[in-house]
């Protein structure tokens, strides 16, 4: 599913490869569930559809979806990445155990959230730079796994 759309870019493919390698090294074994608090609704809908490979959400407000992604992403970060409640993207070296979560209820949800967002910006390039920035951020974090 995550590689089904052409044109999502080199950064996207690198992120997917990093995620897939992480899952393989972890033997796809769930450690614990990633906190869903504030997660974009599309991810919950996808999970509710038995993680369908073909289902696609209808995202009517891309800026709102982007904001919910960033809010959730910041929420699930280790405390050392936050300063005054704000994500400090330059901080990537540290203990990642709080986010290093393989399995069907782990960081795959982050990748899926980005995938659905990416599908929308492929159709309408407005907001594409915010999506690329999020992909690069997650790629930089996944490199630490």
């Amino acid at each position: 599913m995550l590689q089904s759309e052409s044109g999502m870019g080199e950064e996207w493919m690198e992120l997917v490869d990093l995620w897939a390698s992480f899952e393989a090294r972890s033997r796809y074994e769930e450690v614990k569930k990633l906190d869903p608090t504030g997660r974009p609704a599309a991810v919950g809908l996808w999970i509710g559809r038995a993680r369908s490979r073909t289902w696609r959400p209808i995202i009517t407000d891309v800026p709102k979806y982007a904001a919910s992604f960033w809010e959730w992403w910041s929420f699930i970060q280790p405390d050392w990445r936050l300063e005054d409640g704000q994500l400090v993207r330059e901080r990537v070296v540290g203990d990642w155990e709080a986010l290093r979560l393989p399995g069907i209820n782990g960081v795959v949800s982050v990748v899926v959230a980005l995938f659905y967002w990416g599908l929308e910006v492929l159709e309408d390039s407005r907001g594409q730079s915010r999506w690329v920035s999020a992909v690069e951020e997650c790629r930089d974090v996944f490199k630490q796994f």
Side-chain angles (χ1 to χ4, degrees):
M1 175 181 95
L2 300 172
Q3 296 176 327
S4 65
E5 296 295 325
S6 61
M8 289 185 82
E10 195 174 301
E11 294 88 355
W12 171 253
M13 292 310 300
E14 185 178 2
L15 172 66
V16 171
D17 288 345
L18 286 165
W19 166 74
S21 295
F22 161 68
E23 291 284 355
R25 285 190 315 274
S26 303
R27 296 189 174 118
Y28 306 93
E29 293 177 10
E30 185 170 284
V31 176
K32 68 176 192 173
K33 294 180 179 184
L34 188 62
D35 193 327
T37 304
R39 177 182 69 197
V43 178
L45 294 170
W46 171 70
I47 291 168
R49 287 170 174 74
R51 295 172 176 82
S52 169
R53 294 174 187 213
T54 57
W55 178 80
R56 300 295 184 262
I58 297 170
I59 299 172
T60 57
D61 189 337
V62 175
K64 183 177 177 183
Y65 185 92
S68 73
F69 174 83
W70 280 110
E71 182 178 320
W72 177 51
W73 179 248
S74 295
F75 179 77
I76 61 177
Q77 294 302 301
D79 291 340
W80 57 265
R81 282 202 86 201
L82 303 175
E83 188 172 301
D84 297 325
Q86 297 298 312
L87 178 66
V88 180
R89 292 182 59 182
E90 294 77 25
R91 294 182 187 164
V92 292
V93 178
D95 181 0
W96 285 104
E97 292 310 303
L99 192 58
R100 196 176 180 283
L101 303 174
I104 63 169
N105 294 301
V107 293
V108 64
S109 294
V110 172
V111 181
V112 169
L114 285 169
F115 176 69
Y116 289 143
W117 181 7
L119 291 177
E120 292 302 315
V121 298
L122 276 177
E123 298 295 320
D124 180 356
S125 62
R126 291 175 298 169
Q128 191 169 23
S129 63
R130 283 188 78 192
W131 176 75
V132 171
S133 179
V135 168
E136 290 172 344
E137 157 68 13
C138 293
R139 178 201 61 198
D140 292 347
V141 169
F142 285 17
K143 283 180 180 179
Q144 303 303 311
F145 291 177

